[in-house]
Amino acid sequence: MRILVVGAGATGGAFGSRLIEAGREVTFLVRPARAAALRRDGLRFTAPDGTRTHQVAVLTAEELAAAPQVFDLVILTVKAPALEAAIGDLRPAVGERTVVLPILNGLAHLARLEREFGPRVLGALAMIVATLDDGAVVQLTGWSDLTIGDGAPEVARALDVPGIRLAVSADVTGALWAKWAFIAAAGIVCCLFRSPVGPVLRAGGESHVRAIIAETEAVAAAAEHPVPAQSHERTESVLLDPDSAMTSSLYRDLLAGLPNEAEHILGDLAARARDLGVATPLLDLTLVQVRADAVQRG
């Protein structure tokens, strides 16, 4: 398959690197500055299994618009604030048989993409801990999971490569809700207490963390997508570890003053909670804090 990865940040860079290493035909659609850096320096990728640099095929939106080419699979890895711009950028790459695979947090992006690309959109979610460090993609742990909806076996074959733990789910919406409940809980813990997970627990915050987990999972249950026991146990193992240095990506973006997914992850969840009649006082309190931060930053 001809694969276009939209974005070469932490998620796109990590999964794209794994696909390249498995011999897949991968092109990255990126902003001009990132394109220039990738053409000059290659894609630097560090993971628990080593460090390497890949020479990669790169396109900018302007180049794709000037010479449209259709891809078999478009993997969308931008963050929510960049979604609208990315949709405009990738349109020339989508044909009648193209599969659009969005790897974004939350659920709001799916309705938007389905309005744009209809049945070509295949639900997906990733669980990976990665970041950018001076342009290099750094996968911080061995956690590199990708779940996609069923019905596209050719996509599953293309993505089933070493370094990516691939799962095909008959209920990808349920899986998206389970992830959303987890990342929202992690975001609330870190943003509300302005701390990594471990110090919150060591400071006596366990009961509050448990209440946060209960809030986000209650919204999922009210939406008729209860979080499975295995996912709940994984959430507790991560968010109730007093030795953990884990921080949420939302918290890291807030600290760095970067565009963030607060509204996509927390705001949308709070709105759905209100519609469903679920009380979420700790979520609501956190939203006030992150919105106040945005007001101060202008």
Side-chain angles (χ1 to χ4, degrees):
M1 301 186 78
R2 298 189 69 229
I3 301 172
L4 181 70
V5 179
V6 183
T11 299
F15 285 127
S17 291
R18 297 298 188 181
L19 292 170
I20 290 168
E21 290 167 4
R24 303 298 190 256
E25 184 180 343
V26 176
T27 301
F28 291 92
L29 180 63
V30 294
R31 298 296 184 199
R34 183 64 164 154
L38 290 172
R39 286 167 173 155
R40 183 186 64 244
D41 303 325
L43 177 60
R44 293 171 289 156
F45 177 51
T46 296
D49 59 347
T51 297
R52 53 278 212 187
T53 298
H54 299 293
Q55 298 305 311
V56 296
V58 175
L59 283 172
T60 65
E62 293 77 10
E63 291 166 346
L64 182 60
Q69 51 182 299
V70 172
F71 288 80
D72 302 302
L73 173 62
V74 174
I75 304 176
L76 184 58
T77 68
V78 300
K79 291 193 175 183
L83 177 61
E84 284 301 321
I87 288 173
D89 292 346
L90 67 86
R91 281 194 189 102
V94 177
E96 292 183 0
R97 299 175 65 104
T98 302
V99 175
V100 178
L101 192 79
I103 304 176
L104 281 82
N105 293 320
L107 282 170
H109 62 280
L110 283 178
R112 175 67 186 92
L113 288 167
E114 286 167 357
R115 288 197 302 273
E116 191 72 35
F117 301 114
R120 291 184 291 277
V121 178
L122 183 67
L125 64 140
M127 299 293 280
I128 185 169
V129 183
T131 189
L132 282 181
D133 183 4
D134 192 27
V137 175
V138 181
Q139 182 183 322
L140 299 171
T141 73
W143 203 359
S144 179
D145 297 0
L146 180 61
T147 300
I148 66 173
D150 59 3
E154 71 284 0
V155 172
R157 287 192 295 271
L159 298 177
D160 189 9
V161 301
I164 299 176
R165 284 185 293 274
L166 180 71
V168 178
S169 174
D171 181 21
V172 73
T173 301
L176 280 161
W177 266 102
K179 182 190 176 182
W180 192 7
F182 166 70
I183 61 172
I188 295 167
V189 169
C190 294
C191 295
L192 182 59
F193 296 110
R194 296 285 166 170
S195 170
V197 168
V200 175
L201 274 298
R202 297 198 297 273
E206 179 178 340
S207 63
H208 300 299
V209 175
R210 290 188 181 277
I212 289 166
I213 295 170
E215 279 189 17
T216 63
E217 293 188 354
V219 182
E224 300 184 351
H225 292 286
V227 173
Q230 183 178 7
S231 297
H232 172 75
E233 291 166 4
R234 181 170 60 180
T235 296
E236 287 197 332
S237 71
V238 174
L239 299 185
L240 293 173
D241 178 2
D243 296 321
S244 175
M246 181 262 189
T247 57
S248 73
S249 61
L250 171 57
Y251 178 61
R252 294 194 297 272
D253 287 344
L254 284 169
L255 285 183
L258 298 173
N260 62 74
E261 297 183 306
E263 294 302 329
H264 197 66
I265 296 173
L266 303 183
D268 189 29
L269 190 66
R272 293 179 192 237
R274 288 193 297 273
D275 291 343
L276 294 165
V278 178
T280 54
L282 294 170
L283 166 58
D284 297 341
L285 188 62
T286 306
L287 263 177
V288 171
Q289 184 175 117
V290 298
R291 286 170 174 167
D293 183 75
V295 168
Q296 292 181 78
R297 292 179 186 273

